[in-house]
Amino acid sequence: MIKKVPQGDLLRQYLLKSSINQNLLFTLLKNRGVLLKSKKKETTLPYFLKTIVDAEIFDEIQMKDSIKEKRPKFTNASIKLKENFEVERLTDLKLNLHSDLIENKEFRLNYSFKNEPQFYVDFGEDKQKKVSLDIEITIENPLENFGSTQVDRTAKIDIVQEGNSLIINKNYTSPETKEIIDFVVGKIRTHLKQEDYINKEDDFISIRFNDFDNKTRVEFLKSFKFLNEKIKYKSIIDADIECKEKYDNIDKLLESISNMKIKGNLEKHPFLTDEEYYSKIILYCIKIEYEFDLGLEKGEFILELSFPEFDSESEEENYSNPIFQFSINVTNCNNKDNINRITNKLALLVEKYKNEVYNSIIVSNRKD
């Protein structure tokens, strides 16, 4: 039976999803002999819509989209507090997300809530007090498996207080869950401002691409090799780069390249070891393979560290100066039923290390 491939406006809507990586579309075209100057979707989409999408190409796009969308992504943001604040006060903020999002959106929501998210006080395994929010939604998705028009996705917010800083740890999956998370963070800021817990001009701060120069960005990403004593580094297996300038007839390794994905054991690749290349290339994504030992649970996982959808030519800050995020793919473990719990444990270790190494790099740069 030949698989049906969506056409026309249905295909356009699908390819415009933020989970469909513009680099993937650009690469698929390049592999089939279509060479374009820009990897932006407004350039690539006409080629897909007119002639080029067959069942094989669509299967590849859909498979990578599904894997990317389902995998948890993690980011965090922090904001300075005034004195006399306790994190449990955030439970005073009552949410009505469905009606609030309908009012906020120009078009009809393509998802509905399975639960009624409200903040609650929780204690993690480290016994640290936090305020959490669980989000469960059902998305209307006519392309999901071509048999079902609905797909379930989840997200979570954990908020902790460290001294005079409030830190929001965000865990989301699909673009819809990220939209909800970002909306909630905006509600939190408004609440903090109205209750005079923060200065009115202050906003949440996240780790962004432009917080680093090219050299310190490579150092930051490579430093995750030394994550934790419970985690054993194996190898760097993937990296995404963009060339800063054209190096035709100057550097054979970079000749005729604007961006590229390199795979394999990259431990000694010159792009990651030779500082001469740090001024020529922009590293914006790296994947590292590890073994882990969490006591009863042992196995392997891949950590993706990225500034997603980076595009130096874009005028939009979310592309030219994206927020750092990481995702975890547990590839092997003793009990696959425990993958979510293992992922969350590993995420806590990565979050802790990320904050430590980021602060050390920023402080070191200020001294310089």
Side-chain angles (χ1 to χ4, degrees):
M1 180 178 177
I2 299 175
K3 182 173 181 178
K4 184 179 178 182
V5 177
Q7 300 295 330
D9 191 57
L10 192 61
L11 177 61
R12 183 185 65 82
Q13 290 179 40
Y14 181 71
L15 296 179
L16 282 171
K17 289 172 59 179
S18 60
S19 58
I20 304 289
N21 190 297
Q22 63 181 13
N23 293 329
L24 169 64
L25 300 181
F26 180 84
T27 301
L28 285 172
L29 289 172
K30 186 171 68 172
N31 291 344
R32 286 160 177 81
V34 180
L35 304 178
L36 302 172
K37 291 183 179 180
S38 173
K39 56 186 176 182
K40 294 179 180 179
K41 286 188 178 181
E42 52 261 40
T43 303
T44 59
L45 252 59
Y47 290 87
F48 286 98
L49 295 175
K50 288 178 181 177
T51 57
I52 203 164
V53 174
D54 55 24
E56 180 184 355
I57 293 176
F58 185 73
D59 277 346
E60 184 173 353
I61 295 172
Q62 190 181 32
M63 179 190 68
K64 293 187 177 181
D65 172 41
S66 178
I67 292 172
K68 179 182 177 182
E69 184 172 289
K70 292 176 182 176
R71 186 171 297 151
K73 296 110 184 147
F74 302 87
T75 64
N76 70 2
S78 63
I79 196 167
K80 293 295 183 183
L81 297 163
K82 293 183 178 180
E83 295 180 357
N84 302 320
F85 178 83
E86 295 181 357
V87 69
E88 57 264 39
R89 293 182 182 178
L90 285 174
T91 58
D92 295 336
L93 174 57
K94 302 304 178 185
L95 301 173
N96 193 348
L97 290 180
H98 185 72
S99 61
D100 287 347
L101 281 161
I102 288 176
E103 292 178 7
N104 191 59
K105 292 278 284 187
E106 183 178 353
F107 303 104
R108 184 178 69 89
L109 295 180
N110 69 326
Y111 54 85
S112 59
F113 286 86
K114 295 181 66 178
N115 66 338
E116 296 183 5
Q118 296 294 342
F119 291 111
Y120 62 93
V121 177
D122 192 16
F123 291 87
E125 294 186 7
D126 57 359
K127 305 303 180 184
Q128 183 180 21
K129 184 192 296 182
K130 61 183 178 180
V131 169
S132 299
L133 183 75
D134 300 320
I135 297 166
E136 300 175 19
I137 63 172
T138 297
I139 304 170
E140 296 178 20
N141 189 346
L143 290 173
E144 183 76 12
N145 299 325
F146 289 94
S148 171
T149 60
Q150 295 183 335
V151 57
D152 294 337
R153 294 288 182 261
T154 61
K156 185 178 179 66
I157 289 177
D158 287 320
I159 308 169
V160 297
Q161 182 177 355
E162 294 186 359
N164 64 341
S165 291
L166 191 71
I167 300 172
I168 297 184
N169 296 313
K170 300 178 278 187
N171 174 351
Y172 55 89
T173 49
S174 67
E176 291 84 359
T177 57
K178 183 179 184 300
E179 173 185 89
I180 297 168
I181 291 284
D182 291 342
F183 182 77
V184 171
V185 172
K187 299 278 283 187
I188 293 171
R189 181 183 181 275
T190 299
H191 176 74
L192 294 173
K193 186 167 62 173
Q194 289 175 343
E195 298 298 322
D196 200 32
Y197 294 138
I198 62 172
N199 294 320
K200 291 185 177 181
E201 66 276 8
D202 286 350
D203 203 348
F204 283 99
I205 299 172
S206 297
I207 298 176
R208 285 191 173 269
F209 183 86
N210 288 338
D211 291 350
F212 308 89
D213 58 28
N214 288 339
K215 181 175 183 294
T216 55
R217 193 179 305 109
V218 175
E219 291 174 349
F220 173 68
L221 295 174
K222 284 173 56 179
S223 74
F224 283 80
K225 295 192 301 183
F226 313 106
L227 202 49
N228 186 278
E229 60 184 11
K230 298 178 182 179
I231 297 172
K232 181 182 178 183
Y233 165 79
K234 291 182 67 177
S235 63
I236 299 172
I237 61 171
D238 200 350
D240 290 353
I241 69 165
E242 181 177 295
C243 293
K244 291 185 65 179
E245 301 175 21
K246 297 297 182 184
Y247 289 95
D248 294 6
N249 303 318
I250 300 175
D251 190 322
K252 293 294 182 182
L253 204 56
L254 296 176
E255 190 168 313
S256 301
I257 290 173
S258 59
N259 62 79
M260 69 184 300
K261 182 183 290 288
I262 49 177
K263 295 179 178 289
N265 189 336
L266 306 179
E267 178 70 25
K268 297 182 180 179
H269 196 285
F271 288 168
L272 302 181
T273 58
D274 188 344
E275 291 193 11
E276 285 191 15
Y277 279 106
Y278 295 172
S279 62
K280 300 178 181 179
I281 66 166
I282 299 172
L283 178 69
Y284 60 90
C285 178
I286 194 171
K287 290 183 182 178
I288 306 178
E289 189 174 24
Y290 304 88
E291 294 176 355
F292 66 85
D293 184 348
L294 301 176
L296 296 177
E297 285 292 346
K298 299 179 181 180
E300 298 173 323
F301 75 99
I302 295 172
L303 176 64
E304 179 175 328
L305 309 158
S306 69
F307 298 91
E309 299 288 340
F310 170 74
D311 183 353
S312 62
E313 297 178 357
S314 176
E315 295 179 359
E316 296 183 35
E317 186 178 34
N318 286 337
Y319 295 104
S320 63
N321 188 25
I323 293 173
F324 173 79
Q325 80 173 26
F326 68 88
S327 63
I328 293 171
N329 178 21
V330 178
T331 55
N332 182 32
C333 62
N334 296 339
N335 185 350
K336 291 188 177 180
D337 292 337
N338 292 333
I339 282 182
N340 285 340
R341 188 168 63 84
I342 293 169
T343 300
N344 289 333
K345 280 189 172 182
L346 293 172
L348 289 174
L349 297 176
V350 176
E351 280 284 3
K352 182 179 180 181
Y353 179 82
K354 178 199 72 176
N355 293 335
E356 290 174 353
V357 71
Y358 173 76
N359 289 333
S360 68
I361 288 175
I362 295 303
V363 169
S364 177
N365 281 352
R366 285 171 182 166
K367 288 180 179 177
D368 294 342

